[in-house]
Amino acid sequence: MSELLELAERIAGQAAKGEQIEAYASRGEETDVRAYEGEVESLTSAASAGVGVRVIVDGRQGFAYAGSLEEEVIRETLAEARDNAGFATPDEHVGLPGPDGRAPATMDLWDDELVAMPTATKVELALELERRVRSGDRRVRQVASADYGDIAGESAVATSTGISASSRRTICSLSVSAVAGTGSDSHTGVGFSAGRGPADLDSDRAATDATERAVRLLGATKARSGRCVVVFDARVTSTLLAVLSSAFSGEAVTKGRSIFADRIGQEVAVAGVTLVDDPTDRRAFGAASHDAEGLACRRNVLVDGGVLAGFVFDTTSARRSGTASTASAVRGGYSSTPSAGCRALALTPGALDATEILAAVDEGLFVQSITGVHSGVNPVSGDFSVGAEGLLIRGGVLAEPVREVTIASTLPRMFLSVLHIGSDQEWLPGLAAGQTLAIDAMTLSGS
Amino acid sequence: MPGAAVLVETPVIERVLAAALRRGGDFAELFAEDRRSTSAVLDDGKVEELSTGRDRGAGVRVVVGETTGYAHTADLSEAGLLAAADAAAAVARQGGDGARVVGLEGSWPARPNEVVVFPEGVPKATKIELLARADAAARSAGSAVSQVSAAYGDSRRRILVANSDGVLTSDDQVKTRFSVSVVAMGDTGMQTGYETEARTVGFELFDLVDVEEVAATAAGRALSKLLARPAPSGELPVVLASGSGGILFHEACGHGLEADHIAKDVSVYARQVGEQVASPLVTLVDDGTVGPEWGSFAVDDEGHPAQRNVLIENGILTDYLWDYLRARKEKRQSSGNGRRQSYRHLPMVRMTNTFLLNGTEDPAELLAQTPSGVFVAKLGGGQVNTATGDFVFGTTEAYLIENGRITEPLRDANLIGNGPEILRRIDAVANDFAMGPGTCGKDGQSVPVGCGQATLRITGVTIGGTSGE
């Protein structure tokens, strides 16, 4: 058993009669390197650890956390959590899960090669990435940032109700931002590559992506306002799915904060849309053997052939809606309590790849990146309005570059207006896979 | 010496800084932090949880030429700090002589305002009670209110900064916030409303702010939008209500004036000092000393006292925002804008409270003289690409203007524009200045900021709605 799990069990083991305790402990080491003009701009190396404790007495929950694993601090934290529990409103649905008999998927999310990699090699990766972009296309005049980053982390959760689970993972990434053009015709392009270990990193692809994305926007202008087909780049689709994921949260549903509440069994999308959250797919960056409450992760179908099929639940939200947890508890680290959420969303791929989708669409707007997602996409009201840049689609191929426009619709209408889902699925850092996605009849606001 | 300084004893600080420079280097810094926070959330009619937390640790920074090394630790013992110093010093390749002595000279600037009631001394039950009052007020605002969430939060952040230039200083930052989020249900579906009050003060926030009013404002936003029509699509004149739209300047030019973007030539405002970059009505200030505002402090996270910086004066760009690193390169002083989210982060150039100074027009007159357009009563978040100057920001309460009068409510939409263009299109600024709180994100770090402006008009902004004009 890992040291961290032992520690979590020791805390959970202190539960008094009538009291439930959950201890979540985590620790990690990370390195970040930023290169600039052939030099190391910054090198950060860090180790952090902490613990979060939930105490539940008579349906009242209290929580406390600390950024330390020292015995004395942990004692204080448990005492605080106990004290805090006295101030919550009693709620019969609040409680910790017990083991539900599901075996966790066997998953190796740890790369020893990364852990053993010397800092000098990490520095060289960042320098090399910057060099590739600088020595490439002459139209790239600046590299705003070129970064290498990695994290090796471990977490453990134990409860007085018999849960005991731990896992560890590594992630490393390269990312670069290229600037092409000058003055008001400046454009940025971001490229990245990420994986569990150094063998997954593709510096050339990150550099090429950043360069191509910046350069192809040179000369961009506002497009004419009107309705059109919008084709989202795979990365943008991943971002959109991540934002939309909160509408599938069982907690949002039971509290009346989801456009999908009360719509199970109804057609919410065109027949080609099947959306699944499957953290047991090890290719996903959000892959996990256990959820944040220590239950074995499983595959959950959210939309099946256009019909709303299910939501994701943690223990409390499941009890509120009279169902069982789908092992979808997530948490933002030791300093926050669990809530229901997705980890590995993906649309079932369609028949066409990106090029074929452009050809099929013939006329429209290809969107390379979007801005204002958090201010412009509301999963409660369904309103959707974001800033966009990209290229016009003419005669089935990419044409003139476009900037400073918005695209708008509503989420329910967009689901019912899906034209094509790309066959080009790729797992990207974050909650969701990316793939090209074409949506009909969006409003473009430009000149 | 104020309390924060005891986070690390002075002789230990001196030994840690010496160790950090052992292998050479131009500059070393120790940043220690002890943060305690409380938050409480009421949702769906129930107090769901009361949460308390503590984070404590230190970071050591070593600068060698153009390179910065940084390491942090949660272990504030001398051994822990020396290990961090050693890790940060790894970037120094030339091998120094180990003989550098750092003489520290303490200075302890006062808080921008006195804290009257420290939140840690307030009973937890008193904090919780605010939530129930807000819940009741929001629910009584209308039968269409279907869900309410209220959140209370306070934090006390003690920091200590010492560096090899001899700086030794500390700050003790107390912040309190309260927010309410409402969902209303009508024939056309659900709408959301949100309002927040957040200041750099203690529990006396609630002498200044009525939680029932915060709740009523949030509920009012959700309710008014139940009757809203889709926002228009296309370019229209926009009137921003006082205090609602400071985020516009934060995005449209604030980020572009940060010296790190300037140094890398990835800002549209690079090489523009002395140039007319905005309408002559625009005087833009960044000021970390404004009493209780959300972005205020006594010293920044590099130990430099907060100060008032005029960035744009009557439309002419006068200066950028500076942290230690960028200022040193230009052989000038920091402007007190070196900030970081926590001891786990490197400091960066950041805004504090950024605002446009008052104009002279009467706000009602200004509106009456706007034949048509959109009146934005409240803006949500925004985002900017500093290299292109293109930015977006979202409305959370907006109305149509017809014949100089506010008429129908509009559904939420993003507005998009180009910073330098929008600044030139400001053709009227009223005399009803107000400020509000925000959270600014940059490179993965979040810090509290203030934003402010009087009612003003922009002659044309692209509105990203769905309805044809």
Side-chain angles (χ1 to χ4, degrees):
Chain A
M1 196 191 299
S2 77
E3 217 178 283
L4 211 55
L5 186 55
E6 270 175 40
L7 178 114
E9 289 199 348
R10 233 177 13 252
I11 300 169
Q14 295 176 51
K17 197 168 181 306
E19 184 184 63
Q20 293 186 338
I21 295 182
E22 174 200 72
Y24 175 92
S26 67
R27 69 175 161 211
E29 286 186 22
E30 53 182 290
T31 307
D32 291 290
V33 188
R34 174 164 286 187
Y36 184 65
E37 289 184 338
E39 301 270 349
V40 177
E41 181 182 328
S42 63
L43 166 61
T44 305
S45 59
S48 54
V51 63
V53 180
R54 272 202 291 168
V55 172
I56 299 167
V57 187
D58 299 332
R60 303 167 135 205
Q61 171 172 305
F63 180 73
Y65 70 88
S68 163
L69 296 179
E70 287 168 42
E71 281 299 331
E72 187 203 321
V73 176
I74 289 172
R75 237 191 334 269
E76 253 177 56
T77 307
L78 175 58
E80 272 285 314
R82 279 180 165 140
D83 187 48
N84 291 345
F87 297 93
T89 312
D91 181 344
E92 53 176 331
H93 304 301
V94 169
L96 302 177
D100 67 353
R102 296 278 284 248
T106 317
M107 256 187 293
D108 187 12
L109 306 174
W110 184 267
D111 187 299
D112 282 321
E113 207 188 319
L114 177 66
V115 179
M117 191 158 76
T119 304
T121 311
K122 300 174 182 180
V123 166
E124 184 44 44
L125 280 169
L127 292 171
E128 181 200 6
L129 176 64
E130 205 227 1
R131 212 157 46 227
R132 275 182 199 273
V133 179
R134 280 200 193 276
S135 62
D137 196 301
R138 280 197 359 257
R139 291 168 292 178
V140 171
R141 72 164 160 88
Q142 185 57 280
V143 179
S145 63
D147 297 322
Y148 166 87
D150 66 35
I151 180 156
E154 189 192 351
S155 67
V157 57
T159 70
S160 58
T161 54
I163 294 284
S164 175
S166 68
S167 61
R168 56 179 198 162
R169 66 183 61 230
T170 54
I171 287 181
C172 59
S173 65
L174 286 171
S175 74
V176 61
S177 169
V179 183
T182 51
S184 60
D185 192 27
S186 287
H187 301 280
T188 53
V190 174
F192 61 83
S193 174
R196 298 273 166 218
D200 300 324
L201 296 179
D202 185 343
S203 177
D204 183 51
R205 185 183 166 188
T208 308
D209 262 7
T211 304
E212 187 193 353
R213 284 165 179 265
V215 166
R216 71 181 175 186
L217 290 180
L218 286 170
T221 54
K222 275 193 159 185
R224 291 269 303 276
S225 298
R227 289 218 162 184
C228 65
V229 177
V230 170
V231 177
F232 291 106
D233 174 68
R235 274 193 216 170
V236 179
T237 304
S238 170
T239 305
L240 292 180
L241 289 178
V243 175
L244 184 67
S245 71
S246 70
F248 292 98
S249 143
E251 188 178 335
V253 170
T254 57
K255 289 179 176 170
R257 285 200 186 95
S258 166
I259 42 171
F260 296 131
D262 306 322
R263 299 205 58 196
I264 289 277
Q266 293 181 17
E267 228 167 86
V268 296
V270 295
V273 174
T274 292
L275 181 65
V276 174
D277 183 46
D278 185 8
T280 68
D281 187 333
R282 90 165 289 278
R283 298 169 304 166
F285 281 81
S289 53
H290 298 88
D291 80 343
E293 292 183 309
L295 295 175
C297 283
R298 59 209 67 168
R299 180 174 187 270
N300 293 304
V301 179
L302 308 176
V303 178
D304 192 359
V307 175
L308 186 65
F311 301 116
V312 294
F313 292 98
D314 63 351
T315 300
T316 298
S317 63
R319 289 180 185 168
R320 273 199 191 114
S321 57
T323 178
S325 169
T326 59
S328 304
V330 295
R331 62 205 300 168
Y334 62 81
S335 62
S336 60
T337 51
S339 60
C342 298
R343 288 172 185 270
L345 278 172
L347 289 162
T348 299
L352 309 181
D353 68 16
T355 311
E356 291 162 344
I357 288 176
L358 293 177
V361 161
D362 199 48
E363 303 278 318
L365 176 69
F366 172 78
V367 172
Q368 161 173 320
S369 70
I370 54 175
T371 53
V373 174
H374 294 285
S375 58
V377 184
N378 186 329
V380 181
S381 69
D383 286 323
F384 181 99
S385 166
V386 299
E389 56 185 20
L391 299 110
L392 290 180
I393 307 165
R394 267 187 216 284
V397 294
L398 295 179
E400 307 93 305
V402 171
R403 70 183 281 191
E404 210 194 321
V405 298
T406 61
I407 46 172
S409 182
T410 66
L411 292 170
R413 197 187 309 150
M414 287 166 72
F415 257 93
L416 292 165
S417 309
V418 170
L419 294 175
H420 303 282
I421 298 171
S423 59
D424 54 343
Q425 190 176 71
E426 179 187 11
W427 284 101
L428 300 171
L431 303 182
Q435 55 208 114
T436 305
L437 180 68
I439 294 184
D440 200 8
M442 296 197 65
T443 306
L444 185 158
S445 299
S447 57
Chain B
M1 186 189 291
V6 301
L7 277 176
V8 186
E9 301 289 344
T10 304
V12 175
I13 299 171
E14 287 169 347
R15 287 195 289 274
V16 169
L17 291 175
L21 293 171
R22 191 169 46 88
R23 295 203 240 175
D26 308 318
F27 173 79
E29 171 196 77
L30 174 70
F31 174 86
E33 180 183 39
D34 185 351
R35 179 203 288 268
R36 287 173 184 271
S37 60
T38 300
S39 68
V41 178
L42 178 146
D43 196 6
D44 200 20
K46 301 182 191 85
V47 177
E48 286 199 337
E49 107 196 355
L50 176 63
S51 159
T52 46
R54 183 168 193 196
D55 266 306
R56 200 168 67 138
V60 177
R61 175 160 67 138
V62 175
V63 179
V64 188
E66 299 295 310
T67 299
T68 297
Y70 192 66
H72 66 74
T73 175
D75 179 0
L76 287 182
S77 71
E78 181 164 2
L81 296 173
L82 287 171
D86 214 45
V91 293
R93 277 164 279 177
Q94 66 264 49
D97 56 10
R100 186 147 161 200
V101 176
V102 176
L104 296 173
E105 196 172 318
S107 95
W108 320 106
R111 281 200 185 88
N113 60 305
E114 263 322 299
V115 175
V116 182
V117 184
F118 283 89
E120 69 239 43
V122 176
K124 290 173 178 173
T126 307
K127 298 174 182 175
I128 296 286
E129 188 254 333
L130 297 168
L131 300 173
R133 276 170 47 201
D135 184 57
R139 288 181 191 276
S140 69
S143 57
V145 169
S146 58
Q147 192 55 281
V148 177
S149 169
Y152 165 89
D154 64 54
S155 67
R156 182 166 188 184
R157 176 184 190 241
R158 287 181 244 227
I159 61 166
L160 174 147
V161 193
N163 68 35
S164 55
D165 293 345
V167 168
L168 172 61
T169 188
S170 70
D171 196 5
D172 184 356
Q173 300 159 359
V174 174
K175 291 184 187 285
T176 305
R177 64 183 162 79
F178 194 86
S179 64
V180 180
S181 166
V182 172
V183 181
M185 173 93 79
D187 297 340
T188 54
M190 292 183 285
Q191 284 293 342
T192 55
Y194 178 77
E195 176 67 354
T196 182
E197 283 286 354
R199 301 198 193 159
T200 305
V201 300
F203 202 73
E204 69 270 21
L205 175 70
F206 302 102
D207 298 337
L208 312 166
V209 166
D210 179 1
V211 295
E212 275 99 354
E213 232 169 80
V214 177
T217 304
R221 274 187 192 129
L223 291 168
S224 75
K225 280 188 286 188
L226 288 179
L227 306 169
R229 47 170 281 183
S233 158
E235 195 172 297
L236 286 172
V238 165
V239 175
L240 287 180
S242 150
S244 73
I247 180 91
L248 171 76
F249 299 98
H250 181 101
E251 302 295 350
C253 65
H255 279 297
L257 300 178
E258 293 165 343
D260 46 354
H261 298 307
I262 300 298
K264 287 188 173 179
D265 195 13
V266 288
S267 165
V268 280
Y269 298 103
R271 298 178 301 275
Q272 300 281 307
V273 169
E275 304 287 327
Q276 186 91 34
V277 297
S279 145
L281 299 172
V282 172
T283 293
L284 187 73
V285 172
D286 182 88
D287 187 348
T289 70
V290 202
E293 295 305 333
W294 193 230
S296 297
F297 46 76
V299 295
D300 73 1
D301 299 322
E302 298 182 307
H304 195 282
Q307 66 185 53
R308 177 187 168 92
N309 298 295
V310 178
L311 305 173
I312 297 173
E313 196 164 11
N314 303 324
I316 293 167
L317 182 62
T318 49
D319 201 359
Y320 303 117
L321 295 165
W322 302 86
D323 64 353
Y324 170 82
L325 216 58
R326 273 25 95 161
R328 185 184 69 135
K329 220 167 150 179
E330 296 295 318
K331 298 188 170 52
R332 55 166 288 160
Q333 289 293 307
S334 161
S335 57
N337 292 91
R339 304 182 68 189
R340 57 182 121 201
Q341 182 179 319
S342 80
Y343 74 88
R344 296 192 177 93
H345 300 90
L346 266 174
M348 281 189 281
V349 193
R350 301 300 290 264
M351 285 173 260
T352 62
N353 304 298
T354 312
F355 48 89
L356 190 78
L357 294 191
N358 237 342
T360 53
E361 297 201 33
D362 175 65
E365 241 346 78
L366 189 157
L367 187 68
Q369 288 161 5
T370 310
S372 69
V374 168
F375 178 77
V376 178
K378 188 73 182 174
L379 281 175
Q383 190 179 345
V384 67
N385 179 337
T386 59
T388 64
D390 288 352
F391 67 92
V392 291
F393 54 100
T395 65
T396 62
E397 184 184 356
Y399 303 85
L400 265 190
I401 302 171
E402 293 170 294
N403 302 317
R405 291 178 47 220
I406 290 169
T407 59
E408 284 180 88
L410 299 172
R411 294 178 74 107
D412 294 350
N414 257 316
L415 276 62
I416 192 162
N418 181 267
E421 271 174 39
I422 293 292
L423 291 182
R424 288 190 186 98
R425 289 183 188 176
I426 293 169
D427 75 340
V429 180
N431 55 10
D432 55 347
F433 179 83
M435 286 197 73
T439 299
C440 169
K442 177 176 173 185
D443 255 7
Q445 292 193 43
S446 296
V447 297
V449 295
C451 293
Q453 106 300 340
T455 299
L456 61 85
R457 183 175 54 217
I458 306 165
T459 55
V461 183
T462 301
I463 297 162
T466 57
S467 140
E469 284 172 60

